[in-house]
Amino acid sequence: MIVGKVVGSVWATRKEERLKGMKLLIVQHYNVDMTPIEDYHICVDLVDAGLGDLVLVTRGSSARQTTQTDKKPVDAIIVGVIDRIDLKK
Amino acid sequence: MIVGKVVGSVWATRKEERLKGMKLLIVQHYNVDMTPIEDYHICVDLVDAGLGDLVLVTRGSSARQTTQTDKKPVDAIIVGVIDRIDLKK
Amino acid sequence: MIVGKVVGSVWATRKEERLKGMKLLIVQHYNVDMTPIEDYHICVDLVDAGLGDLVLVTRGSSARQTTQTDKKPVDAIIVGVIDRIDLKK
Amino acid sequence: MIVGKVVGSVWATRKEERLKGMKLLIVQHYNVDMTPIEDYHICVDLVDAGLGDLVLVTRGSSARQTTQTDKKPVDAIIVGVIDRIDLKK
Amino acid sequence: MIVGKVVGSVWATRKEERLKGMKLLIVQHYNVDMTPIEDYHICVDLVDAGLGDLVLVTRGSSARQTTQTDKKPVDAIIVGVIDRIDLKK
């Protein structure tokens, strides 16, 4: 998984049938120093995350291992809202 | 998923049997500031996207989780045409 | 999928049982401007591509969604020979 | 797999049901010269790794091929604590 | 697949049960000009490769499509020892 910050949302009226009703958030990636980088993912939100939240993102086929995203064309999900990061490099 | 813009199309007469009849669009990736970068994917279009449209792209095995792409050698699909992006970095 | 150009081939006598008999081509990636970049993949050829051909490459688990590569340790295949690219950035 | 070093941990009270109880460690990647780079993964720890340990990380769908992570939304796990690296470039 | 060179090995006594007994080699990636780059993978060796060998590497879920790695937390394997590379860019 990676750490990112919710920086926005995306709206698409015309979309694939199985994505209907899903909240799509823009999550900007953080690097190991926990500072933002240019990368991001549009993620399906499973934990009711809000703008500005630091979140945990799961990508790839593992993003379908939840009841809400099973068999859906989803490749990135928010699986947690981060409370604390302990970093001792 | 990621955000990209439809910038063209690709034609291949000689192709793998299971790809026959699929519309293949060139989608240039956008970074988190929603400006275009050098990356792209050739995507199967599932939502009738047009040239210049901002679209949502799903990659990897999740690109096969639709009735049209199930069991097909497809690793990127357009799953939505974007109406609006709210970005507050 | 991505666009690339066939620039060579690779020969391996000692190889995993399930790869026996497969033609392995070196495909150099193209960026969105359709100019070559440093990346490449060694691809199993499914469409009888030749040296210098522009081809369409499928990667990851989707590369196993063909009768020839099903259940094989293959992560990149050539799925089409490109006739035409329309690009309007 | 790749080599990395455990440099911290992440805490998330609000998280996806199937991740409950899992220890999440920050693993900074090493390059081939075995020096740290900016990349990292938040990994589920399966081998009781500690801060400062050099570890082996498995990513993608293969990260679900253990009894603890089967059918879980996990895309990176620590599969070993490294005792020795022999490098002769 | 990609081309790389075996430059070392990794030893881990404490590791995930299903990885026991597997030989883990460090394979440094080559770019399309067949010169070494900084990337690498720790690979399970299936073809008895030796230090200095040029090898063919399969990554991702496809790395589990062999009898030795089926259902194992392995994301990179050596599938061939390369005899010859023909490159005509």
Side-chain angles (χ1 to χ4, degrees), chain D residues 10-28:
Chain D
V10 162
W11 306 86
T13 312
R14 196 158 90 232
K15 63 179 170 234
E16 218 278 331
E17 192 61 34
R18 303 187 199 184
L19 288 182
K20 297 259 152 94
M22 288 184 168
K23 189 167 73 161
L24 299 170
L25 298 181
I26 307 172
V27 178
Q28 182 168 22

Side-chain angles (χ1 to χ4, degrees), chain A residues 73 75, chain B residues 2 19 22-25 27 29 40-46 56-64 66 69 72-79, chain C residues 1-2 57-59 62:
Chain A
D75 61 13
Chain B
I2 54 158
L19 288 182
M22 287 184 168
K23 190 168 72 162
L24 300 170
L25 298 182
V27 178
H29 296 190
Y40 71 100
H41 271 97
I42 308 297
C43 300
V44 169
D45 176 23
L46 300 180
L56 197 62
V57 171
T58 294
R59 297 174 291 176
S61 61
S62 295
R64 300 196 311 267
T66 76
T69 57
K72 304 257 164 75
V74 165
D75 62 14
I77 58 173
I78 298 176
V79 291
Chain C
M1 286 72 71
I2 54 157
V57 171
T58 294
R59 297 173 291 174
S62 295

Side-chain angles (χ1 to χ4, degrees), chain D residues 44 46 63-72 74 77:
Chain D
V44 170
L46 299 180
R64 300 196 311 268
Q65 308 296 312
T66 76
T67 48
Q68 299 98 313
T69 56
D70 184 39
K71 299 194 171 63
K72 305 256 164 75
V74 164
I77 58 173

